[in-house]
Amino acid sequence: MTAFARRARASAGRLHPELSLVSYTLLGHLEERGGCRATDLAAHYALDKSTVSRQVSALEGAGLIERRSDPQDQRVQVLHLTAAGTEILAQVTASRRVAFRERLAGWPEEDLRRFAGYLLRYNAAGPGTDPGPADSPATG
């Protein structure tokens, strides 16, 4: 998992120097949600508000996100991707997909299915959840 995270950080950084793995993750969340408040980001990722504030400031400074007033409550600022943010996120995502395809190119179909299932199971598991029965010969 550590090697996976290192590669993800490196690929994001190669395309945009200010784009750390955390920044990439936040941009992805903003794209997926169509925008949200900084406090929502902090709550979703269980991050300190000051950490999110620093990340948001860096992303704003890089021209990748912008603040807009919430139409339902003008006092609330909602973060949205800029056109540049959408473009860099698409570039990083495409680069990561190419890297994944290259790494998995020689895998048999059954291994790919099993690996995808394990990733889905891993991503679905949260703190305090039961991961389900072990169906791998490596466990147990």
Side-chain angles (χ1 to χ4, degrees), residues 49-108:
K49 289 178 187 177
S50 64
T51 301
V52 171
S53 178
R54 283 191 300 276
Q55 292 291 328
V56 165
S57 292
L59 291 169
E60 271 186 302
L64 303 177
I65 64 171
E66 63 187 2
R67 295 175 193 264
R68 297 183 201 155
S69 294
D70 185 334
Q72 290 149 349
D73 185 346
Q74 295 295 313
R75 298 169 297 168
V76 175
Q77 296 289 302
V78 179
L79 304 171
H80 292 273
L81 293 179
T82 62
T86 300
E87 177 62 27
I88 197 69
L89 183 62
Q91 288 174 9
V92 173
T93 300
S95 174
R96 290 178 73 195
R97 284 186 179 144
V98 167
F100 289 143
R101 284 188 185 110
E102 287 172 357
R103 286 185 158 283
L104 301 172
W107 288 34

Side-chain angles (χ1 to χ4, degrees), residues 7-47:
R7 280 193 295 275
R9 277 193 298 275
S11 70
R14 278 193 299 276
L15 287 172
H16 200 282
E18 289 91 21
L19 197 59
S20 68
L21 181 59
V22 172
S23 297
Y24 173 77
T25 302
L26 298 181
L27 289 175
H29 188 83
L30 290 175
E31 180 183 56
E32 182 180 302
R33 303 282 179 183
C36 70
R37 299 173 304 160
T39 54
D40 297 332
L41 288 172
H44 181 78
Y45 291 105
L47 294 170

